[in-house]
Amino acid sequence: MSERSDPEHVWIFDTTLRDGEQSPGASMNLEDKIRIAQVLEQLGVDVIEAGFPIASPGDFEAVSAVAKTVQNAAVAGLCRCQSKDITRAWDALRFAKHPRIHVFLATSPIHREHKLRMDRQAVLKNAYEGVKLAAALCPDVEFSAEDASRTEPEFLAEVLSAVVEAGATTLNVPDTVGYAVPEQYAELIQYLKSHVRGIESARLSVHCHNDLGMAVANSLAAVRAGARQIECTINGIGERAGNASLEEVVMALRTRSDYFHLNTNIQTEHLHQASRLVSEVTGLEVQRNKAIVGRNAFAHEAGIHQHGVLQNAETYEIMRPQDVGVPSSQLVLGKHSGRHALQDWLNARNLHAEPQPFETFFQAFKCLADERKNLTDLDIEDLWETVSGSHQQRWALNSLHTSTSKDITTIALVVNTPEGQEAREAACGSNLTEALFQAFRRLAGLPLLLRNFQFRSWARNGTPQGEVRLEVQNAEHTFSAVFAHPDPAEATARALCRILNRIESQYQAQTLRATS
Ligand code: MN
């Protein structure tokens, strides 16, 4: 933790709820926004931008609810540089413990001419008056010079000097359109540090967009040059190509503290959780190879890498997965994996193989991995059971019939049970998943509670593909299973069989331990 007054402290201003919500298709409702705000507070962000109060009654409600919920972070509301926007923002923020009014006005020639139809003098006057009004309402005022990176530096310095005089405490220099490059942007920040009158009493901030993939690089160059607030979002969501990603900025400052010598207040072990929540709420999936929070970020498949990581994680990892809230490095078993990784996989499951069966298992594994792209633990478990001869009677789907009308889905299925019997069951529900769960609960006589369900479909070479991922709770344990099949009904039913088999194995292992 670093003190906010510390000159080496970089303020993290999160705008997931405002700029992030402006991502096409990412609207959030009030409850979602409050859940995200709570996670952001737990993360330790310094400022939460909760929305744009004048934009809609829903936005106003959300900003005001977040303002009342959040305790430690400042809560900001965005407004145009107009009195009705500013007073509306203040109405939403007034009950916050640490309110911040965030006023913006475009300063670049292209915006002045084509959007605002205002000359330099008019922009200057408008900025001064808007900030003056905001400062009369709220002690914490941020001013953003929209499209700052395409504004004439001397005019930008003039506008920022005027708003400092009017009472702005944070001066934001946005790269609104993602046009900046790191060295040039750093020069602009240095220029402003020496040309804005009264800059000692204000904090310089940056807000970078990722249109050319440089949002994080630009933000980091700016703090090297003296900016002390970075505006960013979880998973880098935001308008168009998005904003600088919070987790990348924070982990870069932390991992390379030898270079930056700067601190943030972020409790990085909550990053993974925050990323998952934002992805779940917005429906915007995180790309697999995304830095820090992508599923592959701490995964190793190549044999040489896996061997290295098993000996000492630092061989191929510059961060510890635990530091960002990922429980441990994940060794992905695939065709590039070697014997060490496979042995480790067995050890982790308390399974033992004599050298000869192990070699057979390894060869069978290589064949399977060549055939299929992604091997799941379950695929490998199935293989292990076949090779080691521990294959017992298991739950398996024999046939499935489904029928769906406007508001009811009925299913009928036949399964093989571990006792070697055939069992039939039928059920109905308001959707397929509900009906299948009904049927499987009755078949197994277990309380099975659905914790997470995802079905993904795509096409490969013109053929439809699909994959279901399930997380199911049974008593105090949670089980997950994946099954690839283009038909959601069949994929879900087969994944549920896998879940029952995992419950069965766990039960058998417990009984074994209890009797031995
Ligand atoms: Mn933006």
Side-chain angles (χ1 to χ4, degrees):
M1 287 285 274
S2 67
E3 290 293 324
R4 286 182 184 146
S5 53
D6 178 347
E8 288 170 6
H9 178 80
V10 175
W11 285 55
I12 297 297
F13 176 115
D14 180 278
T15 183
T16 305
L17 299 178
R18 201 277 302 166
D19 210 321
E21 204 207 9
Q22 286 170 229
S23 312
S27 297
M28 306 171 199
N29 64 29
L30 183 70
E31 292 74 48
D32 292 338
K33 285 195 165 187
I34 292 174
R35 274 166 76 204
I36 292 178
Q38 283 165 337
V39 170
L40 292 173
E41 174 129 283
Q42 198 183 10
L43 257 182
V45 306
D46 301 283
V47 187
I48 297 173
E49 185 161 59
F52 196 166
I54 204 156
S56 73
D59 243 36
F60 181 90
E61 284 309 315
V63 175
S64 125
V66 170
K68 287 172 192 158
T69 309
V70 167
Q71 293 299 309
N72 300 317
V75 178
L78 186 67
C79 43
R80 288 170 301 184
C81 203
Q82 298 172 6
S83 55
K84 64 175 192 307
D85 276 43
I86 295 167
T87 49
R88 185 76 173 148
W90 178 242
D91 285 341
L93 292 167
R94 60 195 317 157
F95 299 109
K97 217 156 174 196
H98 311 284
R100 170 180 290 190
I101 297 182
H102 182 188
V103 183
F104 77 94
L105 181 64
T107 49
S108 67
I110 190 158
H111 280 246
R112 293 195 310 257
E113 204 174 306
H114 299 284
K115 189 178 84 176
L116 301 174
R117 297 180 190 284
M118 284 162 82
D119 62 10
R120 283 187 179 204
Q121 275 316 307
V123 167
L124 204 55
K125 182 165 179 284
N126 189 188
Y128 179 85
E129 284 168 357
V131 170
K132 194 89 187 156
L133 169 63
L137 298 168
C138 179
D140 186 352
V141 176
E142 170 165 341
F143 176 81
S144 275
E146 190 186 9
D147 205 15
S149 53
R150 292 193 299 171
T151 302
E152 308 88 333
E154 54 309 335
F155 178 59
L156 183 60
E158 212 180 322
V159 174
L160 295 181
S161 304
V163 298
V164 170
E165 197 193 321
T169 44
T170 301
L171 307 177
N172 189 31
V173 185
D175 182 28
T176 306
V177 292
Y179 181 75
V181 290
E183 291 78 3
Q184 200 183 23
Y185 194 50
E187 278 168 24
L188 176 64
I189 297 295
Q190 272 157 0
Y191 174 86
L192 294 172
K193 271 187 80 82
S194 52
H195 288 79
V196 173
R197 287 184 303 279
I199 189 72
E200 329 67 65
S201 62
R203 180 174 301 103
L204 274 171
S205 164
V206 289
H207 173 113
C208 298
H209 276 272
N210 209 28
D211 298 70
L212 293 172
M214 291 188 280
V216 169
N218 284 329
S219 306
L220 294 172
V223 292
R224 280 277 290 176
R228 283 296 177 268
Q229 174 176 283
I230 297 179
E231 303 196 359
C232 46
T233 61
I234 301 290
N235 297 340
I237 65 172
E239 293 218 62
R240 306 183 311 279
N243 288 70
S245 133
L246 182 149
E247 58 278 8
E248 293 176 23
V249 161
V250 165
M251 289 312 288
L253 291 175
R254 175 176 161 153
T255 308
R256 295 306 310 275
S257 60
D258 63 311
Y259 176 74
F260 290 105
H261 305 291
L262 295 168
N263 315 303
T264 72
N265 262 348
I266 301 301
Q267 306 291 305
T268 59
E269 65 277 11
H270 298 300
L271 285 171
H272 191 250
Q273 180 203 358
S275 163
R276 285 190 57 161
L277 175 64
V278 168
S279 167
E280 183 194 309
V281 162
T282 58
L284 296 174
E285 264 188 65
V286 175
Q287 89 195 47
R288 280 181 78 127
N289 62 332
K290 162 89 173 60
I292 319 296
V293 292
R295 268 170 65 204
N296 288 2
F298 293 96
H300 307 275
E301 184 186 319
I304 296 167
H305 288 212
Q306 290 188 337
H307 186 199
V309 168
L310 289 170
Q311 301 304 314
N312 181 341
E314 282 179 31
T315 50
Y316 289 98
E317 285 181 356
I318 56 166
M319 297 167 271
R320 296 188 321 150
Q322 298 90 314
D323 292 343
V324 301
V326 174
S328 70
S329 313
Q330 193 194 353
L331 299 181
V332 173
L333 294 173
K335 65 175 182 179
H336 304 295
S337 305
R339 290 178 178 77
H340 286 288
L342 202 60
Q343 188 62 61
D344 190 62
W345 184 93
L346 286 173
N347 293 345
R349 284 157 188 78
N350 240 335
L351 301 171
H352 303 285
E354 297 298 315
Q356 193 42 49
F358 179 78
E359 200 48 36
T360 316
F361 176 45
F362 181 68
Q363 294 310 331
F365 160 77
K366 280 289 199 188
C367 289
L368 186 67
D370 257 340
E371 232 170 81
R372 292 200 220 159
K373 213 168 150 55
N374 294 315
L375 285 187
T376 66
D377 274 354
L378 290 152
D379 295 323
I380 305 167
E381 269 168 28
D382 282 348
L383 186 70
W384 167 250
E385 279 162 3
T386 313
V387 172
S388 67
S390 63
H391 208 65
Q392 77 259 61
Q393 294 285 357
R394 294 167 72 83
W395 292 97
L397 182 71
N398 265 350
S399 64
L400 172 68
H401 171 81
T402 64
S403 134
T404 298
S405 71
K406 192 162 70 70
D407 30 46
I408 190 160
T409 298
T410 55
I411 60 133
L413 45 74
V414 183
V415 296
N416 287 347
T417 70
E419 293 77 34
Q421 313 279 318
E422 249 189 16
R424 286 152 199 274
E425 188 62 69
C428 63
S430 56
N431 58 62
L432 183 72
T433 316
E434 201 179 288
L436 280 168
F437 263 77
Q438 258 323 327
F440 274 88
R441 273 186 207 115
R442 275 190 238 140
L443 279 167
L446 296 172
L448 311 180
L449 180 68
L450 179 61
R451 306 298 308 193
N452 198 1
F453 173 87
Q454 279 179 19
F455 183 77
R456 216 162 58 84
S457 55
W458 65 99
R460 183 181 294 147
N461 301 328
T463 313
Q465 312 278 326
E467 182 189 81
V468 74
R469 291 181 173 266
L470 283 183
E471 223 176 271
V472 175
Q473 192 180 335
N474 182 55
E476 71 272 30
H477 297 281
T478 302
F479 299 85
S480 41
V482 181
F483 200 92
H485 196 282
D487 175 46
E490 181 145 357
T492 309
R494 293 196 186 271
L496 272 164
C497 284
R498 286 189 156 171
I499 298 255
L500 291 186
N501 287 329
R502 306 201 93 175
I503 295 175
E504 196 84 18
S505 319
Q506 191 212 27
Y507 176 73
Q508 280 170 1
Q510 274 174 351
T511 323
L512 214 63
R513 272 198 298 276
T515 52
S516 61

